[in-house]
Amino acid sequence: MSVVGVGPRGLSVLQRISDLADRLPEGYALEVHLIDPGDGGQGSHSGRQPAHLLTNTVASQVTMFADGRGPSFTEWAAGSGYREFGAAFYPTGGDAGDAVGEHAYLPRQMLGAYLSWVFDHTVRGLPPRVGVVHHRDRAVDIGVRDDGRFDVRLEKGFVLVGDYVFLTTGHGRRIPTEEDRAHEAFAREYGSRNPRLLYCPTPYPVEVLQEIAPGSTVAVQGFGLTAHDVISELTVGRGGQFHGTEPDMEYRPSGREPGIRLFSRQCLPFSARGVNQKGVTGQHRPRFFTKEAVHRLQEEARERRGDPRLDFESEVLPLLLREMGYAYRTAREQRPVAPEDYHLTTAERQAVEAVIDPLRGRRFANQRAFTDFFVDYLVGDLEHAELGNRTSPLKAATDVVRDTRAALREAVEFGGLTPASHRTFNGTYVAVMNRIAFGPPRHRNHQLLALLRAGIVDLAGGPGCRVSADPDAARFAIGTDYPDGPEVRHADALVIARLDAFVPGHDRSPLIGNLLERGLVRPFANGSFEPGGLDIDERGRPVTASGEPLDAVWAVGCPVEGPRFYTHALPRQGLASQFTLDADTAVRDMVDHIRRRDDTTREEEHAGAVRKSVSVP
């Protein structure tokens, strides 16, 4: 069998193979071919990336052992001798520095090392009947043989023949869009007039940002976690240093930084994570927005209109808002509130909606006015984050989004929303939830404020701003229309700071392109809306162009973000994990397939042994 892609998702499949190997038929041996050019387990979390790039989840809540049979990220770091020295972590193995704390956000290079340790630990622990071969290569095509087995063609020309395939290929990368091509053509055509002119359609690997000239101006599109990576690489990554404690932190430049100008569609900062007061495994326990409540809505919709699909804004969102309001009141009053007595008040609804859409009802006369609002909003959010996710009513409310993902999945997955509502959910509410509940560690936003004070970072525009090419200036232009008149900021370089969604027909992967061409997979569609991802059945098997599941093949993780929802989150310590469940379901399906085939073979052998020849006149 072949596992295509051996990042965390491929690693989870290997873990489940190890755990379920005792269910294989007696005498059956399984050879696992792992196909990935990188180090086992790491995927996008390379152990070679700069140490200033951080995880956005506290390390104590990250684990590859959701069942507790192995160390969490923090436990591994402590056991490996890591100690904290200010903002840096080193495996000294001694008593110098500080112990890695429960609230630490560790470098992603350390996460890569942890994942590789788990990979090595898993391989060493495989039972004798399971062998592993790691091919440092990429799969570019898969074909089905006449006997039902699969030819997996690798980039270097080698072909693997196997009975089973797992697609765990991780994040995708888009084929250049019309806008990408226009920006790239502009940079090529006018580069002779402005040697600093540069277009970066992605900031990864971050080494591509070394092409941005010191002293130039770079426009960064995005405010999320990827944008914080860009900011960190262009400041700390160039020798700059942060000094002092929050909130009085200051930035001392190295002189090699560019001027950084941020913008996005709404130009709103991502909210900082609140101090975790819930412990490693603590979560808000939902009272209103539950899987059972979603099931009731689906049944009511089926009875009322003959279709169980829901409208997110009119049917699902009210439950989420009520749950957020309940958490808000509980934190504000610092006492338990009986759910049966709770009703969302107008004031609570307004408080929650102000977090969801802080721009509602606001107009800004000019860029200066919007920048003042932006800074005040950032400062206020950090004040709430420092209070903690049980003490701050706002952070308690927004944490609900993170803690009720099971109910969200129940409502959204496999076309649970109407096509029109699914489009609205993906186009509006996913971005909102990411901004308010899945933001950066607090110190990242403190650093952003320090960079704003130092003049290294500024805003390129305001809500509704647009980017264009300015041939006269041989620079990119970001323009915003304000009541006082339009304002334009120019930049030499433009960086798109976001991860690409996996859209099968628009992905650069030759493997996905070939699978689509062969009809072995198809894009997931919810009616007329295609949210991205490959179509699969509930066992994780890809659905072919003819509409039938592809037997003996499974896809998990980012390639199926579309029929599934929020597939990229790593397991949390001590909590049930969809990440682990997806791998478990797929591997159990493979084992059951092997057992059925083995039973059939034994029956045929038995029948052949007792069969007698007869003459037919």
Side-chain angles (χ1 to χ4, degrees):
M1 61 157 287
S2 298
V3 179
V4 182
V6 197
R9 283 292 191 165
L11 175 55
S12 70
V13 168
L14 186 62
Q15 287 179 302
R16 299 309 295 144
I17 289 171
S18 180
D19 291 340
L20 296 171
D22 60 354
R23 298 187 70 246
L24 292 169
E26 184 178 353
Y28 189 92
L30 187 65
E31 185 170 77
V32 183
H33 291 267
L34 306 174
I35 305 166
D36 195 304
D39 293 336
Q42 291 188 3
S44 62
H45 308 286
S46 170
R48 297 177 177 85
Q49 62 190 304
H52 59 81
L53 302 181
L54 306 178
T55 59
N56 72 304
T57 302
V58 290
S60 58
Q61 292 185 341
V62 175
T63 185
M64 285 299 295
F65 302 95
D67 56 10
R69 289 188 293 167
S72 70
F73 186 17
T74 298
E75 291 166 344
W76 168 85
S80 300
Y82 277 92
R83 305 286 290 182
E84 182 175 0
F85 297 84
F89 298 85
Y90 299 102
T92 65
D95 296 330
D98 298 317
V100 177
E102 182 180 288
H103 301 291
Y105 291 86
L106 299 181
R108 288 209 297 273
Q109 64 170 215
M110 282 179 62
L111 178 57
Y114 169 65
L115 292 169
S116 282
W117 179 88
V118 176
F119 175 82
D120 293 341
H121 172 80
T122 303
V123 170
R124 286 195 302 269
L126 288 171
R129 63 169 65 188
V130 180
V132 168
V133 181
H134 185 182
H135 302 267
R136 297 270 186 161
D137 205 345
R138 289 183 173 85
V140 295
D141 196 7
I142 298 175
V144 182
R145 298 163 64 99
D146 291 340
D147 61 3
R149 293 190 296 167
F150 301 94
D151 286 333
V152 182
R153 184 174 299 278
L154 306 188
E155 191 172 52
K156 296 175 183 176
F158 193 69
V159 176
L160 300 172
V161 179
D163 301 284
Y164 304 99
V165 176
F166 289 83
L167 298 174
T168 56
T169 50
H171 293 288
R173 187 173 176 185
R174 69 185 184 277
I175 293 171
T177 64
E178 183 177 340
E179 185 177 53
D180 287 327
R181 291 191 293 271
H183 290 330
E184 288 168 352
F186 174 71
R188 284 195 305 270
E189 183 176 355
Y190 289 89
S192 59
R193 288 178 47 196
N194 179 5
R196 295 175 167 184
L197 196 59
L198 179 69
Y199 176 62
C200 293
T202 175
Y204 297 119
V206 293
E207 286 76 15
V208 302
L209 300 177
Q210 293 173 4
E211 296 183 46
I212 296 172
S216 64
T217 300
V218 55
V220 178
Q221 186 177 48
F223 282 89
L225 304 171
T226 302
H228 280 282
D229 280 356
V230 174
I231 294 168
S232 185
E233 177 64 16
L234 294 177
T235 54
V236 176
R238 296 203 172 186
Q241 295 181 336
F242 289 96
H243 289 269
T245 57
E246 305 156 353
D248 299 320
M249 181 185 294
E250 66 173 35
Y251 179 74
R252 297 176 188 173
S254 68
R256 296 191 291 116
E257 301 89 347
I260 303 169
R261 305 294 177 258
L262 306 176
F263 74 101
S264 70
R265 183 174 57 181
Q266 286 193 309
C267 286
L268 287 172
F270 272 44
S271 297
R273 298 284 183 99
V275 171
N276 181 32
Q277 299 171 306
K278 299 177 180 180
V280 173
T281 62
Q283 285 187 304
H284 170 82
R285 184 170 68 86
R287 274 74 167 182
F288 310 104
F289 188 36
T290 63
K291 293 170 68 172
E292 294 74 22
V294 171
H295 292 162
R296 288 194 294 271
L297 287 177
Q298 291 166 337
E299 287 305 311
E300 290 169 4
R302 189 192 308 274
E303 293 175 3
R304 189 168 60 252
R305 53 181 181 260
D307 186 345
R309 293 180 297 180
L310 302 174
D311 181 274
F312 182 79
E313 288 186 307
S314 65
E315 295 175 305
V316 180
L317 184 58
L319 285 180
L320 177 57
L321 292 178
R322 188 180 184 193
E323 194 70 60
M324 292 174 72
Y326 178 80
Y328 182 95
R329 184 185 298 181
T330 302
R332 180 170 57 83
E333 297 184 359
Q334 286 296 294
R335 66 176 182 85
V337 176
E340 60 272 18
D341 297 333
Y342 177 74
H343 299 281
L344 183 66
T345 66
T346 300
E348 288 164 348
R349 174 180 288 275
Q350 290 173 345
V352 171
E353 289 180 344
V355 175
I356 292 173
D357 185 8
L359 298 178
R360 180 182 297 178
R362 295 180 182 271
R363 295 193 69 195
F364 305 95
N366 48 45
Q367 184 64 45
R368 181 70 263 164
F370 178 72
T371 301
D372 289 343
F373 164 81
F374 181 95
V375 171
D376 289 344
Y377 184 86
L378 200 58
V379 169
D381 177 74
L382 279 168
E383 290 173 351
H384 279 281
E386 298 295 348
L387 290 175
N389 56 15
R390 286 195 185 278
T391 304
S392 163
L394 290 182
K395 292 304 174 183
T398 53
D399 238 31
V400 165
V401 175
R402 188 168 180 240
D403 291 343
T404 58
R405 274 183 298 205
L408 274 170
R409 287 192 178 106
E410 202 68 29
V412 173
E413 288 192 338
F414 293 101
L417 302 177
T418 66
S421 183
H422 199 169
R423 186 185 300 275
T424 299
F425 175 77
N426 275 28
T428 300
Y429 289 98
V430 170
V432 169
M433 290 188 291
N434 286 340
R435 177 175 56 79
I436 67 175
F438 301 101
R442 298 184 310 285
H443 74 272
R444 282 299 195 208
N445 278 357
H446 279 294
Q447 290 176 347
L448 178 56
L449 283 171
L451 290 165
L452 285 162
R453 290 192 293 267
I456 300 295
V457 170
D458 201 353
L459 300 184
C465 64
R466 59 202 176 276
V467 61
S468 61
D470 186 342
D472 293 334
R475 303 177 83 195
F476 293 101
I478 296 86
T480 310
D481 293 327
Y482 287 110
D484 285 357
E487 297 195 33
V488 178
R489 301 288 187 272
H490 284 90
D492 305 296
L494 173 62
V495 177
I496 309 302
R498 66 169 182 266
L499 291 177
D500 292 327
F502 178 74
V503 181
H506 301 278
D507 193 78
R508 288 192 181 195
S509 166
L511 172 63
I512 298 302
N514 286 325
L515 291 177
L516 287 169
E517 186 174 346
R518 290 181 182 275
L520 296 180
V521 298
R522 70 180 186 185
F524 172 68
N526 181 5
S528 59
F529 176 54
E530 292 190 7
L534 299 175
D535 196 3
I536 56 171
D537 67 8
E538 295 203 10
R539 287 150 65 183
R541 298 179 300 173
V543 177
T544 67
S546 64
E548 296 297 322
L550 182 58
D551 206 24
V553 178
W554 297 267
V556 296
C558 293
V560 297
E561 181 74 20
R564 294 204 178 275
F565 174 66
Y566 214 84
T567 58
H568 56 274
L570 291 173
R572 282 184 63 181
Q573 182 81 343
L575 297 175
S577 166
Q578 190 68 39
F579 180 105
T580 304
L581 179 61
D582 290 345
D584 183 73
T585 299
V587 174
R588 284 183 185 277
D589 202 28
M590 180 191 70
V591 172
D592 290 344
H593 191 280
I594 292 171
R595 291 168 65 93
R596 289 194 301 270
R597 190 176 64 181
D598 183 73
D599 289 343
T600 300
T601 300
R602 292 178 186 275
E603 289 173 4
E604 290 175 349
E605 289 174 349
H606 177 72
V610 300
R611 186 179 295 119
K612 296 179 180 179
S613 61
V614 296
S615 298
V616 179

